[in-house]
Amino acid sequence: MTSPTRILWIAILASFVSFLDGTIVNVALPAIDRELGGGLSTQQWVVDGYLITLGALMLLAGSVSDAFGRALVLRIGLVGFGVASVAIALAPDPLILVIARLVQGAAGAFLVPSSLALITSTFSGAAQAKAIGTWTSFTTGAMVVGPVIGGVLVDLAS
């Protein structure tokens, strides 16, 4: 059996990466244009494609999580997100990059509702409120640190 603290940290990390990727890429846009080309339209699709699929599929992902189980949907989301991240890193051209970002957004949509559902099914009462507050603060923090982490990655790893 997994401890509630471990479940909380898994849920936090799952939603953290989903929201982090919404902002982290913004500082990499000039490097993406330099390395892959595609101009402004590619840059827009790299950012917006992720956010569109993330936002459009989040409610559906919550229903899928209820129907097939929180842990399974979270695992599928994490695997999909990881595979899409590797595809993004290895993208040879703008089209593959945009497609991988669309897939990554879809996988990210499966992470957020299932991670919150995991918390609500694991904790109750005051512990649940504290766990949701912790989850929310880290998820919000991802949007703040995304550009900083993106800048470091672009400078150090391209």
Side-chain angles (χ1 to χ4, degrees):
M1 181 104 175
T2 306
S3 76
T5 303
R6 187 171 180 189
I7 290 172
L8 176 61
W9 281 108
I10 290 168
I12 286 170
L13 290 173
S15 64
F16 185 87
V17 297
S18 181
F19 282 99
L20 180 74
D21 249 66
T23 60
I24 198 169
V25 75
N26 293 336
V27 296
L29 292 175
I32 290 169
D33 188 41
R34 227 179 8 260
E35 293 181 20
L36 296 178
L40 182 59
S41 63
T42 295
Q43 292 177 12
Q44 288 174 324
W45 273 107
V46 165
V47 173
D48 295 342
Y50 178 84
L51 295 174
I52 287 169
T53 54
L54 177 72
L57 297 175
M58 204 170 291
L59 290 176
L60 174 65
S63 295
V64 170
S65 179
D66 290 342
F68 296 102
R70 299 161 192 91
L72 174 64
V73 171
L74 187 69
R75 280 188 200 104
I76 291 169
L78 285 170
V79 168
F81 198 89
V83 169
S85 296
V86 170
I88 289 164
L90 300 175
D93 60 58
L95 179 61
I96 301 297
L97 175 64
V98 170
I99 291 169
R101 283 288 287 173
L102 290 165
V103 171
Q104 189 182 44
F110 280 77
L111 296 177
V112 178
S114 59
S115 66
L116 182 57
L118 208 54
I119 291 171
T120 59
S121 68
T122 302
F123 296 91
S124 60
Q128 185 182 70
K130 183 179 177 184
I132 291 172
T134 304
W135 177 84
T136 303
S137 67
F138 276 94
T139 300
T140 303
M143 300 189 76
V144 174
V145 300
V148 175
I149 294 172
V152 169
L153 289 174
V154 168
D155 284 348
L156 298 178
S158 182

